[in-house]
Amino acid sequence: MEGIGKEIMYSVFRMQKALYRLVREDAARVGITEVQLMILYTLLKKENIRLNDLAEKLNLSNSNVSGTVDRLVSAGLVARETSKQDRRAVVLSLTDRGRQAIQEAFNHESVLRKRLKRIEETFKEEEILQYLSIQQKMKDILLGEE
Amino acid sequence: MEGIGKEIMYSVFRMQKALYRLVREDAARVGITEVQLMILYTLLKKENIRLNDLAEKLNLSNSNVSGTVDRLVSAGLVARETSKQDRRAVVLSLTDRGRQAIQEAFNHESVLRKRLKRIEETFKEEEILQYLSIQQKMKDILLGEE
DNA sequence: TAGAAATAGTTTCAATACGAATTATTTCTA
DNA sequence: TAGAAATAATTCGTATTGAAACTATTTCTA
């Protein structure tokens, strides 16, 4: 817990908060929450995904995703139906309103998009790749997967 | 939302999850939660801190910290008293049991500590500093503080 | 092939998490 | 110096969060 290791931890927490804040801003603009937005985005990129896969992609527990999907279904943004291949499984997809919501969230007004673009313009690509590579390795060490 | 910006976002989320998991493990060993542990740690490093400053250091809302401190006070790990200088403010400090808990959480059994140490051993110091520097700059861009 | 094990989701529970409204106090300013 | 504005916490309401227990279904295996 001493020295530079602690710095890494605090730095990651701050970075994550900053990102989350922007996601929340975009989400609030269309009247949903951060996690709901991320779920819609994931569904936009890959329709007919299972709840488990969704949870894994977002790094969330599936109890969590299960509840959040509940609210999205109630709000009429996501459709949930039992898989025909595996009746234990649930398959999720966007409704038209859901598609509309996600597109509106990430339209030209999206602050997250603007800022991410600015990051891409500020750093050399190889710097970013270097950053991602180090972070990936650190994460593997943390998870005991080196 | 496209390209490498999205990668940065997902990478940070994964890294943060990995760190949080280890903090949770240490916290569970002494019967408290992640956030409670981080509060105790912050109090260990700086006694007699105000709730506001604590929230800022941890990047949490003070409504959140207020509630969590409640639980820590109930558990007898933290003492809360009104500041003599400013009667609006609350000053927090560790109780003996609180000090004991935090030291036990980060003793030689701490997985977080071991893994952070392994990270320090794996990377060259300048690599880590480079990583921290890029992350700091990215965060500032995200917050619009370049 | 019957029972065990594994898998997919849901439910439950306690603890975050944060914005907004509120209370109490302090500081500012006309 | 009285009222306004600012500051420090708390309270409230809603939405995550994840572990654990549970149900339902599928797959494995003796």
Side-chain angles (χ1 to χ4, degrees):
Chain A
M1 275 303 292
E2 40 278 316
I4 212 166
K6 197 180 66 184
E7 278 314 309
I8 295 171
M9 196 165 75
Y10 281 127
S11 176
V12 171
F13 287 170
R14 283 191 297 265
M15 177 74 177
Q16 198 260 0
K17 281 282 153 107
L19 279 167
Y20 232 65
R21 200 158 298 168
L22 294 178
V23 176
R24 182 178 309 135
E25 207 170 305
D26 282 348
R29 208 154 28 74
V30 296
I32 59 178
T33 66
E34 315 90 286
V35 180
Q36 291 179 3
L37 182 59
M38 293 205 290
I39 288 179
L40 293 187
Y41 179 75
T42 309
L43 287 181
L44 182 71
K45 290 295 163 187
K46 186 167 168 48
E47 293 255 334
N48 301 315
I49 191 174
R50 288 169 168 218
L51 193 141
N52 246 359
D53 299 335
L54 183 58
E56 175 151 6
K57 228 179 191 64
L58 295 177
N59 240 302
L60 299 172
S61 69
N62 58 3
S63 67
N64 181 357
V65 172
S66 181
T68 305
V69 164
D70 256 1
R71 274 167 235 117
L72 285 170
V73 171
S74 300
L77 302 176
V78 164
R80 170 168 48 184
E81 55 178 330
T82 312
S83 164
K84 285 178 181 60
Q85 289 86 49
D86 184 343
R87 300 185 22 180
R88 291 169 303 183
V90 152
V91 174
L92 304 170
S93 58
L94 288 176
T95 63
D96 287 345
R97 283 186 51 209
R99 198 178 310 279
Q100 217 174 319
I102 181 68
Q103 273 156 3
E104 190 181 333
F106 290 135
N107 68 9
H108 60 283
E109 287 182 63
S110 164
V111 190
L112 177 62
R113 238 173 100 167
K114 282 181 204 156
R115 297 278 163 79
L116 285 179
K117 179 169 279 185
R118 193 171 304 164
I119 285 180
E120 291 176 15
E121 291 161 0
T122 303
F123 296 95
K124 289 198 276 290
E125 189 179 358
E126 78 187 48
E127 275 182 309
I128 298 181
L129 292 177
Q130 166 83 349
Y131 166 83
L132 288 175
S133 157
I134 290 184
Q135 184 153 259
Q136 158 94 39
K137 278 183 210 142
M138 284 183 176
K139 186 210 69 183
D140 288 343
I141 291 176
L142 290 175
L143 293 178
E145 292 173 352
E146 324 104 90
Chain B
M1 274 303 291
E2 40 278 317
I4 211 165
K6 196 180 66 183
E7 277 314 308
I8 294 172
M9 196 165 76
Y10 281 128
S11 176
V12 171
F13 286 170
R14 283 192 297 266
M15 176 75 177
Q16 198 259 1
K17 282 282 154 104
L19 279 167
Y20 233 66
R21 200 157 297 169
L22 294 178
V23 176
R24 180 178 312 134
E25 209 170 304
D26 282 348
R29 208 154 27 76
V30 296
I32 60 178
T33 66
E34 316 89 284
V35 180
Q36 292 179 4
L37 182 59
M38 294 206 289
I39 288 179
L40 293 187
Y41 180 76
T42 309
L43 288 180
L44 181 71
K45 290 296 163 186
K46 185 166 168 48
E47 293 255 334
N48 300 316
I49 191 174
R50 289 170 168 216
L51 193 141
N52 246 358
D53 299 335
L54 181 59
E56 176 151 6
K57 229 180 192 67
L58 295 176
N59 242 302
L60 299 173
S61 69
N62 57 3
S63 67
N64 181 359
V65 172
S66 182
T68 305
V69 165
D70 256 1
R71 274 165 236 119
L72 285 169
V73 171
S74 300
L77 302 177
V78 164
R80 169 168 50 185
E81 57 178 330
T82 313
S83 163
K84 285 179 180 59
Q85 290 85 51
D86 183 344
R87 300 187 21 183
R88 291 169 302 184
V90 152
V91 173
L92 303 170
S93 58
L94 288 176
T95 63
D96 287 345
R97 282 185 50 208
R99 197 177 311 279
Q100 217 174 320
I102 181 69
Q103 274 156 2
E104 191 181 332
F106 290 135
N107 68 9
H108 60 283
E109 286 183 64
S110 163
V111 190
L112 177 62
R113 239 174 99 167
K114 282 181 204 158
R115 296 280 163 79
L116 286 179
K117 179 170 278 186
R118 192 170 306 164
I119 285 180
E120 290 175 16
E121 291 162 358
T122 303
F123 296 95
K124 289 198 277 288
E125 189 179 357
E126 77 188 50
E127 275 182 309
I128 298 181
L129 292 176
Q130 166 83 349
Y131 166 82
L132 289 174
S133 158
I134 290 185
Q135 185 153 259
Q136 158 94 39
K137 278 182 209 144
M138 284 182 177
K139 186 209 70 184
D140 288 342
I141 291 175
L142 290 175
L143 293 177
E145 291 172 352
E146 322 105 89

